[in-house]
Every structure is written in C-alpha cells, then in structure tokens.
Amino acid sequence: KENSTLKQTIDLFFENSLGGAPIVDKNKKIKGIITERDLLKYLYSQEKLDGHVKDYMTTCVFTANIETSIEEAMRIMIERKI
C-alpha cells in the first residue's frame, strides 16, 4: 500500500523472501513497485551509514560448480528459498 512505512515494507520482504512488491491504491489499482534497490537508494540518502558489512552480510553462502545445470541450480535455489 502507498502509505505503508519503509519498516513495514522491509518486514514484508523479510517475512516472505521478497525482493520487490507492487504498490496498489485502495481500489487495488497498481500505482508502482517498491524493490530492494529502492530501499537501498533510501538508505544511501541518509547521512549516517556507519554500520559494518560483517554485521549484515550473509555468511551461509551456496555456490555451484561449472557442471551444475541451470535446472539444478534453480531447484536448489527454490528448495533453500534463496
């Protein structure tokens, strides 16, 4: 919803493993889209960005080798909700 706060939107993204969501008005008409990139733009506009990468980075990293097919990689990503 257009009047959702950024915190509410971030919570929605985390709870549902989303990277973006359509924004609709009270009549369910699409007004736009909010994405992770939009949230990063907001974060970048703030004066204080003193957090450390190590405190926010993903440490459980999955990799694939050159022999892994796209289908297998997609299956793994879906199973692990990556």
Side-chain angles (χ1 to χ4, degrees), residues 1 4 6-23 33-40 77 80-82:
K1 297 178 182 176
S4 297
L6 293 178
K7 168 123 177 41
Q8 290 169 321
T9 303
I10 292 168
D11 289 343
L12 178 74
F13 281 17
F14 276 115
E15 290 167 7
N16 297 284
S17 299
L18 299 175
I23 304 302
I33 186 170
I34 185 84
T35 66
E36 291 172 326
R37 182 176 292 260
D38 297 323
L39 297 171
L40 280 172
M77 291 176 72
R80 297 185 177 168
K81 298 181 180 178
I82 300 173

Side-chain angles (χ1 to χ4, degrees), residues 3-82:
N3 295 327
S4 297
T5 67
L6 293 178
K7 168 123 177 41
Q8 290 169 321
T9 303
I10 292 168
D11 289 343
L12 178 74
F13 281 17
F14 276 115
E15 290 167 7
N16 297 284
S17 299
L18 299 175
I23 304 302
V24 296
D25 64 16
K26 63 182 176 184
N27 298 315
K28 307 273 186 204
K29 181 179 177 189
I30 295 179
K31 303 299 284 183
I33 186 170
I34 185 84
T35 66
E36 291 172 326
R37 182 176 292 260
D38 297 323
L39 297 171
L40 280 172
K41 284 193 286 187
Y42 168 76
L43 179 62
Y44 185 74
S45 74
Q46 301 306 296
E47 294 290 322
K48 192 172 181 182
L49 293 174
D50 59 356
H52 295 93
V53 171
K54 68 179 182 176
D55 297 325
Y56 299 96
M57 68 183 182
T58 299
T59 57
C60 184
V61 179
F62 297 97
T63 62
N65 61 41
I66 195 75
E67 290 85 28
T68 304
S69 69
I70 299 242
E71 293 80 10
E72 178 66 9
M74 287 175 47
R75 184 187 65 72
I76 292 168
M77 291 176 72
I78 291 168
E79 283 178 0
R80 297 185 177 168
K81 298 181 180 178
I82 300 173

